[in-house]
Every structure is written in C-alpha cells, then in structure tokens.
PDB file of all heavy atoms in Angstrom:
ATOM      1  N   LEU Z  29       0.801  -1.224   0.000  1.00  0.00           N
ATOM      2  CA  LEU Z  29       0.000   0.000   0.000  1.00  0.00           C
ATOM      3  C   LEU Z  29       0.835   1.276   0.000  1.00  0.00           C
ATOM      4  O   LEU Z  29       0.304   2.356  -0.241  1.00  0.00           O
ATOM      5  CB  LEU Z  29      -0.955  -0.005   1.196  1.00  0.00           C
ATOM      6  CG  LEU Z  29      -1.978  -1.155   1.202  1.00  0.00           C
ATOM      7  CD1 LEU Z  29      -2.882  -1.062   2.430  1.00  0.00           C
ATOM      8  CD2 LEU Z  29      -2.825  -1.136  -0.061  1.00  0.00           C
ATOM      9  N   GLY Z  30       2.132   1.174   0.305  1.00  0.00           N
ATOM     10  CA  GLY Z  30       3.018   2.321   0.167  1.00  0.00           C
ATOM     11  C   GLY Z  30       2.864   3.413   1.191  1.00  0.00           C
ATOM     12  O   GLY Z  30       3.169   4.575   0.908  1.00  0.00           O
ATOM     13  N   GLU Z  31       2.362   3.075   2.387  1.00  0.00           N
ATOM     14  CA  GLU Z  31       2.270   4.047   3.476  1.00  0.00           C
ATOM     15  C   GLU Z  31       2.902   3.474   4.740  1.00  0.00           C
ATOM     16  O   GLU Z  31       2.893   2.255   4.944  1.00  0.00           O
ATOM     17  CB  GLU Z  31       0.808   4.398   3.785  1.00  0.00           C
ATOM     18  CG  GLU Z  31       0.192   5.371   2.825  1.00  0.00           C
ATOM     19  CD  GLU Z  31      -1.106   5.970   3.357  1.00  0.00           C
ATOM     20  OE1 GLU Z  31      -1.463   5.729   4.528  1.00  0.00           O
ATOM     21  OE2 GLU Z  31      -1.752   6.692   2.596  1.00  0.00           O
ATOM     22  N   ASN Z  32       3.405   4.354   5.574  1.00  0.00           N
ATOM     23  CA  ASN Z  32       3.892   3.934   6.884  1.00  0.00           C
ATOM     24  C   ASN Z  32       2.701   3.474   7.733  1.00  0.00           C
ATOM     25  O   ASN Z  32       1.612   4.045   7.655  1.00  0.00           O
ATOM     26  CB  ASN Z  32       4.617   5.085   7.575  1.00  0.00           C
ATOM     27  CG  ASN Z  32       5.337   4.645   8.834  1.00  0.00           C
ATOM     28  OD1 ASN Z  32       5.711   3.480   8.968  1.00  0.00           O
ATOM     29  ND2 ASN Z  32       5.545   5.561   9.759  1.00  0.00           N
ATOM     30  N   MET Z  33       2.914   2.438   8.510  1.00  0.00           N
ATOM     31  CA  MET Z  33       1.856   1.897   9.368  1.00  0.00           C
ATOM     32  C   MET Z  33       2.460   1.471  10.699  1.00  0.00           C
ATOM     33  O   MET Z  33       3.634   1.105  10.768  1.00  0.00           O
ATOM     34  CB  MET Z  33       1.180   0.685   8.713  1.00  0.00           C
ATOM     35  CG  MET Z  33       0.530   0.981   7.387  1.00  0.00           C
ATOM     36  SD  MET Z  33      -0.056  -0.519   6.566  1.00  0.00           S
ATOM     37  CE  MET Z  33      -0.386   0.136   4.918  1.00  0.00           C
ATOM     38  N   ILE Z  34       1.635   1.508  11.747  1.00  0.00           N
ATOM     39  CA  ILE Z  34       2.071   1.119  13.088  1.00  0.00           C
ATOM     40  C   ILE Z  34       0.972   0.308  13.767  1.00  0.00           C
ATOM     41  O   ILE Z  34      -0.194   0.709  13.760  1.00  0.00           O
ATOM     42  CB  ILE Z  34       2.405   2.353  13.960  1.00  0.00           C
ATOM     43  CG1 ILE Z  34       3.585   3.120  13.377  1.00  0.00           C
ATOM     44  CG2 ILE Z  34       2.707   1.946  15.398  1.00  0.00           C
ATOM     45  CD1 ILE Z  34       3.900   4.412  14.122  1.00  0.00           C
ATOM     46  N   MET Z  35       1.359  -0.836  14.322  1.00  0.00           N
ATOM     47  CA  MET Z  35       0.436  -1.580  15.186  1.00  0.00           C
ATOM     48  C   MET Z  35       0.536  -0.943  16.565  1.00  0.00           C
ATOM     49  O   MET Z  35       1.452  -1.227  17.325  1.00  0.00           O
ATOM     50  CB  MET Z  35       0.821  -3.065  15.213  1.00  0.00           C
ATOM     51  CG  MET Z  35       0.782  -3.716  13.849  1.00  0.00           C
ATOM     52  SD  MET Z  35       1.227  -5.484  13.867  1.00  0.00           S
ATOM     53  CE  MET Z  35       2.982  -5.385  14.275  1.00  0.00           C
ATOM     54  N   LYS Z  36      -0.378  -0.058  16.887  1.00  0.00           N
ATOM     55  CA  LYS Z  36      -0.215   0.829  18.040  1.00  0.00           C
ATOM     56  C   LYS Z  36      -0.428   0.115  19.378  1.00  0.00           C
ATOM     57  O   LYS Z  36       0.381   0.239  20.300  1.00  0.00           O
ATOM     58  CB  LYS Z  36      -1.174   2.012  17.916  1.00  0.00           C
ATOM     59  CG  LYS Z  36      -0.887   3.145  18.886  1.00  0.00           C
ATOM     60  CD  LYS Z  36       0.445   3.795  18.558  1.00  0.00           C
ATOM     61  CE  LYS Z  36       0.754   4.969  19.452  1.00  0.00           C
ATOM     62  NZ  LYS Z  36       2.056   5.574  19.142  1.00  0.00           N
ATOM     63  N   ARG Z  37      -1.545  -0.608  19.516  1.00  0.00           N
ATOM     64  CA  ARG Z  37      -1.862  -1.182  20.827  1.00  0.00           C
ATOM     65  C   ARG Z  37      -2.984  -2.207  20.675  1.00  0.00           C
ATOM     66  O   ARG Z  37      -3.682  -2.248  19.661  1.00  0.00           O
ATOM     67  CB  ARG Z  37      -2.306  -0.092  21.811  1.00  0.00           C
ATOM     68  CG  ARG Z  37      -3.411   0.800  21.264  1.00  0.00           C
ATOM     69  CD  ARG Z  37      -3.862   1.860  22.241  1.00  0.00           C
ATOM     70  NE  ARG Z  37      -4.740   2.836  21.615  1.00  0.00           N
ATOM     71  CZ  ARG Z  37      -5.551   3.653  22.251  1.00  0.00           C
ATOM     72  NH1 ARG Z  37      -5.612   3.621  23.575  1.00  0.00           N
ATOM     73  NH2 ARG Z  37      -6.304   4.530  21.603  1.00  0.00           N
ATOM     74  N   ALA Z  38      -3.154  -2.996  21.712  1.00  0.00           N
ATOM     75  CA  ALA Z  38      -4.231  -3.982  21.738  1.00  0.00           C
ATOM     76  C   ALA Z  38      -4.690  -4.162  23.183  1.00  0.00           C
ATOM     77  O   ALA Z  38      -3.901  -4.029  24.124  1.00  0.00           O
ATOM     78  CB  ALA Z  38      -3.777  -5.316  21.165  1.00  0.00           C
ATOM     79  N   ALA Z  39      -5.974  -4.458  23.341  1.00  0.00           N
ATOM     80  CA  ALA Z  39      -6.539  -4.786  24.653  1.00  0.00           C
ATOM     81  C   ALA Z  39      -7.273  -6.115  24.518  1.00  0.00           C
ATOM     82  O   ALA Z  39      -7.969  -6.351  23.529  1.00  0.00           O
ATOM     83  CB  ALA Z  39      -7.497  -3.699  25.126  1.00  0.00           C
ATOM     84  N   TRP Z  40      -7.100  -6.960  25.503  1.00  0.00           N
ATOM     85  CA  TRP Z  40      -7.798  -8.248  25.542  1.00  0.00           C
ATOM     86  C   TRP Z  40      -8.528  -8.354  26.872  1.00  0.00           C
ATOM     87  O   TRP Z  40      -7.964  -8.060  27.930  1.00  0.00           O
ATOM     88  CB  TRP Z  40      -6.803  -9.395  25.414  1.00  0.00           C
ATOM     89  CG  TRP Z  40      -7.372 -10.760  25.672  1.00  0.00           C
ATOM     90  CD1 TRP Z  40      -8.000 -11.572  24.780  1.00  0.00           C
ATOM     91  CD2 TRP Z  40      -7.335 -11.494  26.911  1.00  0.00           C
ATOM     92  NE1 TRP Z  40      -8.358 -12.767  25.369  1.00  0.00           N
ATOM     93  CE2 TRP Z  40      -7.972 -12.738  26.688  1.00  0.00           C
ATOM     94  CE3 TRP Z  40      -6.846 -11.209  28.188  1.00  0.00           C
ATOM     95  CZ2 TRP Z  40      -8.117 -13.691  27.697  1.00  0.00           C
ATOM     96  CZ3 TRP Z  40      -6.994 -12.162  29.192  1.00  0.00           C
ATOM     97  CH2 TRP Z  40      -7.623 -13.392  28.934  1.00  0.00           C
ATOM     98  N   VAL Z  41      -9.807  -8.731  26.818  1.00  0.00           N
ATOM     99  CA  VAL Z  41     -10.568  -8.959  28.047  1.00  0.00           C
ATOM    100  C   VAL Z  41     -11.267 -10.307  27.940  1.00  0.00           C
ATOM    101  O   VAL Z  41     -11.644 -10.754  26.855  1.00  0.00           O
ATOM    102  CB  VAL Z  41     -11.608  -7.848  28.320  1.00  0.00           C
ATOM    103  CG1 VAL Z  41     -10.934  -6.494  28.467  1.00  0.00           C
ATOM    104  CG2 VAL Z  41     -12.659  -7.795  27.232  1.00  0.00           C
ATOM    105  N   SER Z  42     -11.426 -10.946  29.075  1.00  0.00           N
ATOM    106  CA  SER Z  42     -12.142 -12.221  29.122  1.00  0.00           C
ATOM    107  C   SER Z  42     -12.907 -12.282  30.438  1.00  0.00           C
ATOM    108  O   SER Z  42     -12.447 -11.756  31.465  1.00  0.00           O
ATOM    109  CB  SER Z  42     -11.167 -13.398  29.016  1.00  0.00           C
ATOM    110  OG  SER Z  42     -11.858 -14.619  28.834  1.00  0.00           O
ATOM    111  N   VAL Z  43     -14.080 -12.918  30.391  1.00  0.00           N
ATOM    112  CA  VAL Z  43     -14.947 -12.954  31.577  1.00  0.00           C
ATOM    113  C   VAL Z  43     -15.438 -14.373  31.818  1.00  0.00           C
ATOM    114  O   VAL Z  43     -15.472 -15.206  30.910  1.00  0.00           O
ATOM    115  CB  VAL Z  43     -16.166 -12.014  31.395  1.00  0.00           C
ATOM    116  CG1 VAL Z  43     -15.716 -10.572  31.212  1.00  0.00           C
ATOM    117  CG2 VAL Z  43     -17.038 -12.457  30.218  1.00  0.00           C
ATOM    118  N   PRO Z  44     -15.823 -14.685  33.058  1.00  0.00           N
ATOM    119  CA  PRO Z  44     -16.424 -15.993  33.346  1.00  0.00           C
ATOM    120  C   PRO Z  44     -17.776 -16.134  32.655  1.00  0.00           C
ATOM    121  O   PRO Z  44     -18.328 -15.164  32.127  1.00  0.00           O
ATOM    122  CB  PRO Z  44     -16.580 -15.984  34.881  1.00  0.00           C
ATOM    123  CG  PRO Z  44     -15.765 -14.831  35.371  1.00  0.00           C
ATOM    124  CD  PRO Z  44     -15.697 -13.847  34.261  1.00  0.00           C
ATOM    125  N   GLU Z  45     -18.319 -17.329  32.700  1.00  0.00           N
ATOM    126  CA  GLU Z  45     -19.588 -17.624  32.023  1.00  0.00           C
ATOM    127  C   GLU Z  45     -20.737 -16.751  32.515  1.00  0.00           C
ATOM    128  O   GLU Z  45     -21.645 -16.429  31.758  1.00  0.00           O
ATOM    129  CB  GLU Z  45     -19.950 -19.100  32.220  1.00  0.00           C
ATOM    130  CG  GLU Z  45     -19.067 -20.065  31.442  1.00  0.00           C
ATOM    131  CD  GLU Z  45     -19.312 -19.990  29.943  1.00  0.00           C
ATOM    132  OE1 GLU Z  45     -20.404 -19.549  29.546  1.00  0.00           O
ATOM    133  OE2 GLU Z  45     -18.407 -20.361  29.176  1.00  0.00           O
ATOM    134  N   ASN Z  46     -20.709 -16.353  33.783  1.00  0.00           N
ATOM    135  CA  ASN Z  46     -21.834 -15.594  34.340  1.00  0.00           C
ATOM    136  C   ASN Z  46     -21.678 -14.079  34.178  1.00  0.00           C
ATOM    137  O   ASN Z  46     -22.511 -13.319  34.672  1.00  0.00           O
ATOM    138  CB  ASN Z  46     -22.017 -15.924  35.825  1.00  0.00           C
ATOM    139  CG  ASN Z  46     -20.764 -15.643  36.633  1.00  0.00           C
ATOM    140  OD1 ASN Z  46     -19.658 -15.788  36.133  1.00  0.00           O
ATOM    141  ND2 ASN Z  46     -20.938 -15.241  37.885  1.00  0.00           N
ATOM    142  N   PHE Z  47     -20.613 -13.628  33.467  1.00  0.00           N
ATOM    143  CA  PHE Z  47     -20.431 -12.210  33.157  1.00  0.00           C
ATOM    144  C   PHE Z  47     -20.768 -11.999  31.684  1.00  0.00           C
ATOM    145  O   PHE Z  47     -21.009 -12.944  30.948  1.00  0.00           O
ATOM    146  CB  PHE Z  47     -18.984 -11.777  33.400  1.00  0.00           C
ATOM    147  CG  PHE Z  47     -18.597 -11.620  34.849  1.00  0.00           C
ATOM    148  CD1 PHE Z  47     -19.124 -12.433  35.835  1.00  0.00           C
ATOM    149  CD2 PHE Z  47     -17.678 -10.663  35.225  1.00  0.00           C
ATOM    150  CE1 PHE Z  47     -18.753 -12.297  37.168  1.00  0.00           C
ATOM    151  CE2 PHE Z  47     -17.297 -10.506  36.546  1.00  0.00           C
ATOM    152  CZ  PHE Z  47     -17.842 -11.338  37.520  1.00  0.00           C
ATOM    153  N   PHE Z  48     -20.754 -10.748  31.240  1.00  0.00           N
ATOM    154  CA  PHE Z  48     -20.858 -10.482  29.811  1.00  0.00           C
ATOM    155  C   PHE Z  48     -20.052  -9.233  29.453  1.00  0.00           C
ATOM    156  O   PHE Z  48     -19.740  -8.409  30.309  1.00  0.00           O
ATOM    157  CB  PHE Z  48     -22.317 -10.348  29.350  1.00  0.00           C
ATOM    158  CG  PHE Z  48     -23.031  -9.122  29.845  1.00  0.00           C
ATOM    159  CD1 PHE Z  48     -23.083  -7.955  29.082  1.00  0.00           C
ATOM    160  CD2 PHE Z  48     -23.696  -9.126  31.079  1.00  0.00           C
ATOM    161  CE1 PHE Z  48     -23.763  -6.835  29.525  1.00  0.00           C
ATOM    162  CE2 PHE Z  48     -24.383  -8.011  31.531  1.00  0.00           C
ATOM    163  CZ  PHE Z  48     -24.415  -6.860  30.754  1.00  0.00           C
ATOM    164  N   ILE Z  49     -19.698  -9.141  28.170  1.00  0.00           N
ATOM    165  CA  ILE Z  49     -18.914  -8.016  27.660  1.00  0.00           C
ATOM    166  C   ILE Z  49     -19.789  -7.210  26.700  1.00  0.00           C
ATOM    167  O   ILE Z  49     -20.237  -7.717  25.664  1.00  0.00           O
ATOM    168  CB  ILE Z  49     -17.651  -8.489  26.915  1.00  0.00           C
ATOM    169  CG1 ILE Z  49     -16.764  -9.343  27.822  1.00  0.00           C
ATOM    170  CG2 ILE Z  49     -16.863  -7.289  26.377  1.00  0.00           C
ATOM    171  CD1 ILE Z  49     -15.606 -10.012  27.106  1.00  0.00           C
ATOM    172  N   GLY Z  50     -20.054  -5.958  27.046  1.00  0.00           N
ATOM    173  CA  GLY Z  50     -20.703  -5.054  26.116  1.00  0.00           C
ATOM    174  C   GLY Z  50     -19.662  -4.488  25.161  1.00  0.00           C
ATOM    175  O   GLY Z  50     -18.498  -4.317  25.535  1.00  0.00           O
ATOM    176  N   TYR Z  51     -20.064  -4.183  23.942  1.00  0.00           N
ATOM    177  CA  TYR Z  51     -19.088  -3.670  22.975  1.00  0.00           C
ATOM    178  C   TYR Z  51     -19.774  -2.766  21.959  1.00  0.00           C
ATOM    179  O   TYR Z  51     -20.970  -2.898  21.671  1.00  0.00           O
ATOM    180  CB  TYR Z  51     -18.363  -4.814  22.275  1.00  0.00           C
ATOM    181  CG  TYR Z  51     -19.273  -5.793  21.559  1.00  0.00           C
ATOM    182  CD1 TYR Z  51     -19.594  -5.636  20.210  1.00  0.00           C
ATOM    183  CD2 TYR Z  51     -19.816  -6.883  22.232  1.00  0.00           C
ATOM    184  CE1 TYR Z  51     -20.421  -6.528  19.562  1.00  0.00           C
ATOM    185  CE2 TYR Z  51     -20.652  -7.781  21.592  1.00  0.00           C
ATOM    186  CZ  TYR Z  51     -20.949  -7.592  20.251  1.00  0.00           C
ATOM    187  OH  TYR Z  51     -21.789  -8.482  19.615  1.00  0.00           O
ATOM    188  N   TYR Z  52     -18.968  -1.859  21.409  1.00  0.00           N
ATOM    189  CA  TYR Z  52     -19.493  -0.928  20.414  1.00  0.00           C
ATOM    190  C   TYR Z  52     -18.320  -0.331  19.644  1.00  0.00           C
ATOM    191  O   TYR Z  52     -17.259  -0.054  20.208  1.00  0.00           O
ATOM    192  CB  TYR Z  52     -20.280   0.197  21.095  1.00  0.00           C
ATOM    193  CG  TYR Z  52     -20.789   1.256  20.140  1.00  0.00           C
ATOM    194  CD1 TYR Z  52     -21.852   0.989  19.279  1.00  0.00           C
ATOM    195  CD2 TYR Z  52     -20.212   2.516  20.098  1.00  0.00           C
ATOM    196  CE1 TYR Z  52     -22.333   1.960  18.403  1.00  0.00           C
ATOM    197  CE2 TYR Z  52     -20.676   3.497  19.234  1.00  0.00           C
ATOM    198  CZ  TYR Z  52     -21.743   3.205  18.387  1.00  0.00           C
ATOM    199  OH  TYR Z  52     -22.198   4.162  17.523  1.00  0.00           O
ATOM    200  N   VAL Z  53     -18.516  -0.157  18.326  1.00  0.00           N
ATOM    201  CA  VAL Z  53     -17.531   0.505  17.468  1.00  0.00           C
ATOM    202  C   VAL Z  53     -18.256   1.560  16.655  1.00  0.00           C
ATOM    203  O   VAL Z  53     -19.354   1.315  16.138  1.00  0.00           O
ATOM    204  CB  VAL Z  53     -16.826  -0.508  16.530  1.00  0.00           C
ATOM    205  CG1 VAL Z  53     -15.960   0.220  15.517  1.00  0.00           C
ATOM    206  CG2 VAL Z  53     -15.969  -1.479  17.339  1.00  0.00           C
ATOM    207  N   HIS Z  54     -17.660   2.735  16.547  1.00  0.00           N
ATOM    208  CA  HIS Z  54     -18.292   3.868  15.850  1.00  0.00           C
ATOM    209  C   HIS Z  54     -17.408   4.347  14.702  1.00  0.00           C
ATOM    210  O   HIS Z  54     -16.186   4.358  14.806  1.00  0.00           O
ATOM    211  CB  HIS Z  54     -18.517   5.027  16.820  1.00  0.00           C
ATOM    212  CG  HIS Z  54     -19.200   6.206  16.195  1.00  0.00           C
ATOM    213  ND1 HIS Z  54     -20.556   6.230  15.936  1.00  0.00           N
ATOM    214  CD2 HIS Z  54     -18.709   7.393  15.747  1.00  0.00           C
ATOM    215  CE1 HIS Z  54     -20.877   7.381  15.383  1.00  0.00           C
ATOM    216  NE2 HIS Z  54     -19.772   8.109  15.256  1.00  0.00           N
ATOM    217  N   GLY Z  55     -18.065   4.767  13.607  1.00  0.00           N
ATOM    218  CA  GLY Z  55     -17.334   5.323  12.467  1.00  0.00           C
ATOM    219  C   GLY Z  55     -16.813   4.258  11.538  1.00  0.00           C
ATOM    220  O   GLY Z  55     -15.690   4.354  11.029  1.00  0.00           O
ATOM    221  N   ALA Z  56     -17.619   3.229  11.284  1.00  0.00           N
ATOM    222  CA  ALA Z  56     -17.177   2.102  10.474  1.00  0.00           C
ATOM    223  C   ALA Z  56     -17.023   2.499   9.012  1.00  0.00           C
ATOM    224  O   ALA Z  56     -17.876   3.194   8.461  1.00  0.00           O
ATOM    225  CB  ALA Z  56     -18.169   0.939  10.598  1.00  0.00           C
ATOM    226  N   PRO Z  57     -15.937   2.037   8.341  1.00  0.00           N
ATOM    227  CA  PRO Z  57     -15.787   2.286   6.909  1.00  0.00           C
ATOM    228  C   PRO Z  57     -16.677   1.338   6.118  1.00  0.00           C
ATOM    229  O   PRO Z  57     -17.140   0.325   6.647  1.00  0.00           O
ATOM    230  CB  PRO Z  57     -14.301   1.968   6.666  1.00  0.00           C
ATOM    231  CG  PRO Z  57     -13.987   0.925   7.692  1.00  0.00           C
ATOM    232  CD  PRO Z  57     -14.814   1.274   8.900  1.00  0.00           C
ATOM    233  N   PRO Z  58     -16.918   1.635   4.839  1.00  0.00           N
ATOM    234  CA  PRO Z  58     -17.688   0.705   4.007  1.00  0.00           C
ATOM    235  C   PRO Z  58     -17.004  -0.647   3.950  1.00  0.00           C
ATOM    236  O   PRO Z  58     -15.782  -0.744   3.894  1.00  0.00           O
ATOM    237  CB  PRO Z  58     -17.682   1.385   2.627  1.00  0.00           C
ATOM    238  CG  PRO Z  58     -17.375   2.812   2.882  1.00  0.00           C
ATOM    239  CD  PRO Z  58     -16.511   2.835   4.100  1.00  0.00           C
ATOM    240  N   SER Z  59     -17.788  -1.704   3.998  1.00  0.00           N
ATOM    241  CA  SER Z  59     -17.215  -3.052   3.973  1.00  0.00           C
ATOM    242  C   SER Z  59     -18.162  -3.974   3.235  1.00  0.00           C
ATOM    243  O   SER Z  59     -19.337  -3.720   3.107  1.00  0.00           O
ATOM    244  CB  SER Z  59     -16.984  -3.563   5.392  1.00  0.00           C
ATOM    245  OG  SER Z  59     -16.411  -4.846   5.369  1.00  0.00           O
ATOM    246  N   GLY Z  60     -17.633  -5.045   2.724  1.00  0.00           N
ATOM    247  CA  GLY Z  60     -18.426  -6.025   2.007  1.00  0.00           C
ATOM    248  C   GLY Z  60     -17.628  -7.281   1.785  1.00  0.00           C
ATOM    249  O   GLY Z  60     -18.066  -8.204   1.113  1.00  0.00           O
ATOM    250  N   ASN Z  61     -16.415  -7.288   2.353  1.00  0.00           N
ATOM    251  CA  ASN Z  61     -15.541  -8.446   2.194  1.00  0.00           C
ATOM    252  C   ASN Z  61     -15.948  -9.520   3.192  1.00  0.00           C
ATOM    253  O   ASN Z  61     -15.812  -9.328   4.398  1.00  0.00           O
ATOM    254  CB  ASN Z  61     -14.089  -8.027   2.407  1.00  0.00           C
ATOM    255  CG  ASN Z  61     -13.109  -9.123   2.042  1.00  0.00           C
ATOM    256  OD1 ASN Z  61     -13.444 -10.311   2.083  1.00  0.00           O
ATOM    257  ND2 ASN Z  61     -11.898  -8.744   1.683  1.00  0.00           N
TER     258      ASN Z  61
END
C-alpha cells in the first residue's frame, strides 16, 4: 500500500460464564468483504 503503518496497541478482556462483555464501534468504513 506504500504508506507507513504502526500496530499501536491492543486490549484483551475475558470474563467468566456468568459475566458479559458489552461492545461498540463507531465510524465504520464501508465493507463487504
């Protein structure tokens, strides 16, 4: 692609069976793949 790129950071969370993880992402690009 010819641009500089950086893998900046990552977060991982895990919960027991009786917990749950809420999640949300905003500003999604067009996708269809």
Side-chain angles (χ1 to χ4, degrees):
L29 298 180
E31 281 195 7
N32 189 26
M33 300 172 193
I34 296 175
M35 300 180 291
K36 193 66 177 179
R37 51 179 170 162
W40 170 86
V41 300
S42 190
V43 299
E45 289 290 337
N46 58 327
F47 285 34
F48 69 94
I49 302 172
Y51 57 92
Y52 176 73
V53 172
H54 182 77
S59 181
N61 189 334

